[in-house]
Amino acid sequence: MHLFWLLLFLALVLVPGIAVLKLQNAQNTQVDGSAQGRSQRSESKRIQKLKQHRKTFKESTPKTRVGSLFGQLQEKPHCAGVLQCHTEEVTCFAFHPKKRCLLSCSSDRSVRVWWDPMDKQARFSSVTLFTCAASEYKVKFPDSAEACCWSKDGQLILFVLSHTRAIRSYDVLKNKKLLSGSLDVVSTQKSSVKDIELDPLRRYFVTYDDNSSFVVWNMRGSVLTRVDTHQVRNNQMAISPDGRFIASAGFIGDVYLWEILFQKDSNEFIELRKVIDLKGHRAGVKGLAFSHDRKKVATVCKDRTIRIWNIDVKYKLEEDAKLLFSLEPWDTQVDLLQVAFSPDDNLLAVVGNDSVAFYLLETRKLITILRGCTGQVGIDIKKFSFSGDGTLLATIGQGQSFISLWNVPVMPSFSNV
Ligand SMILES: *[C@@H]1O[C@H](CO)[C@@H](O)[C@H](O)[C@H]1NC(C)=O
Ligand SMILES: *[C@@H]1O[C@H](CO)[C@@H](O)[C@H](O)[C@H]1NC(C)=O
């Protein structure tokens, strides 16, 4: 009897309980379901927003910088092309200061000017092979050019020929033609000319050799001054963007800045004197570069240090240039060879052996390393340069007959973040 009541009681209490539980479970799944729906909706909204954002990012960035940051860094589309029409070693090259156009000289005794066939279209397509048809102009010299530079206004090209040591100018005409210019002098330096640098204001140019001397010339080909730097051997020289300083780096650790003075109205040369000494490197300085805002100098040294200096100082009042900061090389075994600021001064590009590393100056962080674009792994980069618009980087390897072009990594401007 008692058992019957107990069972009845259990039945009465438990069955509705189970039902209630079931109902609750069902409601729970329903709740889950609607949450999932909501999160799906918000996810698609988020993606839509992202797409919208990317679209506006693309549209709002200048044409030359199109391409998402992520695409640039992750999909490795950093090889922009190879210029390969020279039949012997490329000896020098120079970018046009504004256009995506490049001049190159080779031991095959030709000089080529390459106009970018992709100029208006897919600038960031992964590999664009520049063909010989892209080279619209070709000069045959009886001699080969070993150094060249392009004036800041894009109107003038200077060459130094290797055997005769003749320095010649060419005028760049509107229809992309080169015409023999007025300058044709012979360098009187005893050893061969290592490089030539042109004043952005076109008042003078500098030639230097492998020893420790450099010569300053006016544009008519007269020697203004001849200087011994006392740096044992010249590694690299550079002219500041305002043409006021000539920097020299050599076998000794100190880098010198020489100020060149001209009469204001007549552009008559007054004097050249050493005004700033960048002290601190403990071995030969291999490469140096001025920032485009004229306030900094970057140096790379045999002691495997990368330094950024503030040269915006009152040197006339004996104020010394200061070391702003140093950057860590990406590899302890890398031989640092050259350095350059990007045209907007946001990036510092450093060449070490066969690689180019990019540092973001704002954060002082390494952002990427470019290497092995065209199979030249293991071959040291001899010379490199940013294009005038900052989108491309060109490199030539020791002994190689082609020029590699790389897409410069795109970083969003910090003012927009
Ligand atoms: C410059 O260096 C070369 C070797 O690289 C040497 O033969 C030449 O005599 C040197 N010239 C001067 C002026 O010291
Ligand atoms: C760079 O080149 C030097 C000299 O050729 C070599 O000793 C060094 O190991 C190279 N470093 C790297 C990281 O390849």
Side-chain angles (χ1 to χ4, degrees):
M1 198 64 190
H2 280 148
L3 195 66
F4 170 78
W5 285 115
L6 187 66
L7 281 176
L8 188 70
F9 170 77
L10 281 178
L12 280 174
V13 172
L14 284 183
V15 170
I18 287 167
V20 165
L21 263 180
K22 270 210 165 142
L23 196 69
Q24 263 180 4
N25 265 348
Q27 269 173 352
N28 271 348
T29 29
Q30 218 181 2
V31 167
D32 279 348
S34 71
Q36 212 173 357
R38 259 211 308 275
S39 76
Q40 260 167 7
R41 273 198 299 279
S42 70
E43 178 65 13
S44 68
K45 240 187 202 164
R46 200 178 67 83
I47 289 169
Q48 222 170 13
K49 237 184 184 172
L50 207 65
K51 277 186 184 160
Q52 194 65 36
H53 171 75
R54 287 208 182 137
K55 212 169 135 211
T56 48
F57 173 67
K58 274 189 182 176
E59 281 165 359
S60 64
T61 45
K63 219 179 171 191
T64 49
R65 293 232 145 193
V66 169
S68 89
L69 165 67
F70 312 101
Q72 282 292 315
L73 296 182
Q74 282 171 8
E75 287 159 31
K76 202 188 157 192
H78 56 253
C79 306
V82 185
L83 307 179
Q84 45 184 9
C85 295
H86 285 299
T87 53
E88 284 173 46
E89 177 172 2
V90 177
T91 49
C92 66
F93 71 85
F95 265 112
H96 186 285
K98 292 176 195 107
K99 296 181 187 139
R100 302 227 312 183
C101 170
L102 189 130
L103 161 87
S104 64
C105 311
S106 156
S107 309
D108 68 8
R109 299 188 303 177
S110 74
V111 168
R112 286 171 184 275
V113 181
W114 311 78
W115 307 93
D116 182 356
M118 303 301 287
D119 208 6
K120 289 196 183 65
Q121 310 149 26
R123 288 163 184 245
F124 291 96
S125 60
S126 59
V127 176
T128 314
L129 194 70
F130 285 66
T131 62
C132 296
S135 161
E136 290 185 9
Y137 197 74
K138 190 172 160 186
V139 187
K140 266 279 185 195
F141 281 129
D143 194 351
S144 63
E146 60 183 354
C148 57
C149 62
W150 211 319
S151 69
K152 202 184 168 193
D153 59 10
Q155 307 280 304
L156 183 82
I157 290 169
L158 296 183
F159 295 114
V160 184
L161 305 189
S162 57
H163 298 296
T164 54
R165 286 186 205 151
I167 305 167
R168 292 213 185 127
S169 72
Y170 277 79
D171 296 321
V172 185
L173 300 178
K174 270 200 184 113
N175 52 357
K176 298 181 177 176
K177 284 261 159 55
L178 297 188
L179 213 70
S180 209
S182 54
L183 182 74
D184 191 356
V185 291
V186 173
S187 165
T188 51
Q189 262 154 312
K190 288 207 185 86
S191 47
S192 73
V193 173
K194 192 176 164 110
D195 217 341
I196 184 166
E197 295 286 336
L198 177 59
D199 168 29
L201 307 182
R202 279 174 62 169
R203 296 164 301 178
Y204 68 94
F205 65 90
V206 171
T207 56
Y208 60 101
D209 61 13
D210 253 334
N211 298 339
S212 61
S213 73
F214 70 89
V215 180
V216 183
W217 310 72
N218 69 14
M219 299 311 289
R220 293 184 299 278
S222 310
V223 173
L224 296 176
T225 180
R226 208 181 285 271
V227 181
D228 185 350
T229 63
H230 299 291
Q231 287 167 308
V232 186
R233 201 175 57 231
N234 289 330
N235 282 336
Q236 203 190 346
M237 299 194 67
I239 296 177
S240 65
D242 54 1
R244 189 165 149 200
F245 298 110
I246 301 169
S248 63
F251 179 76
I252 64 162
D254 287 15
V255 170
Y256 299 142
L257 264 61
W258 312 76
E259 186 181 29
I260 188 162
L261 292 173
F262 290 86
Q263 291 289 2
K264 278 231 164 62
D265 12 293
S266 64
N267 270 354
E268 206 63 38
F269 172 69
I270 305 173
E271 63 165 347
L272 178 93
R273 56 197 185 95
K274 194 167 88 186
V275 291
I276 294 177
D277 183 352
L278 306 178
K279 285 179 198 279
H281 281 300
R282 293 206 198 93
V285 174
K286 290 299 184 115
L288 64 82
F290 282 97
S291 66
H292 299 269
D293 67 5
R294 294 167 272 190
K295 291 179 177 163
K296 297 184 205 91
V297 165
T299 54
V300 291
C301 179
K302 206 162 174 263
D303 67 10
R304 301 204 163 101
T305 57
I306 304 163
R307 295 188 176 188
I308 313 290
W309 310 78
N310 174 22
I311 58 156
D312 192 20
V313 292
K314 298 188 181 72
Y315 57 89
K316 282 178 187 147
L317 304 175
E318 316 262 302
E319 188 187 348
D320 287 331
K322 287 176 202 75
L323 176 69
L324 285 174
F325 55 89
S326 300
L327 297 169
E328 283 295 313
W330 57 102
D331 184 322
T332 54
Q333 291 307 306
V334 77
D335 282 0
L336 304 173
L337 304 171
Q338 282 180 60
V339 64
F341 286 88
S342 61
D344 58 10
D345 285 336
N346 281 335
L347 299 174
L348 189 76
V350 180
V351 168
N353 290 54
D354 58 355
S355 312
V356 185
F358 289 88
Y359 292 85
L360 191 62
L361 286 168
E362 174 115 7
T363 59
R364 304 178 192 179
K365 291 259 157 51
L366 176 70
I367 55 165
T368 190
I369 300 168
L370 306 185
R371 182 168 186 255
C373 180
T374 45
Q376 69 277 52
V377 170
I379 291 170
D380 283 356
I381 291 173
K382 181 166 73 174
K383 191 170 162 65
F384 89 132
S385 172
F386 277 98
S387 61
D389 64 1
T391 57
L392 287 178
L393 193 86
T395 61
I396 47 177
Q398 291 289 356
Q400 296 199 308
S401 61
F402 58 86
I403 302 165
S404 304
L405 294 178
W406 316 71
N407 284 318
V408 171
V410 178
M411 300 302 293
S413 139
F414 277 80
S415 52
N416 293 343
V417 172

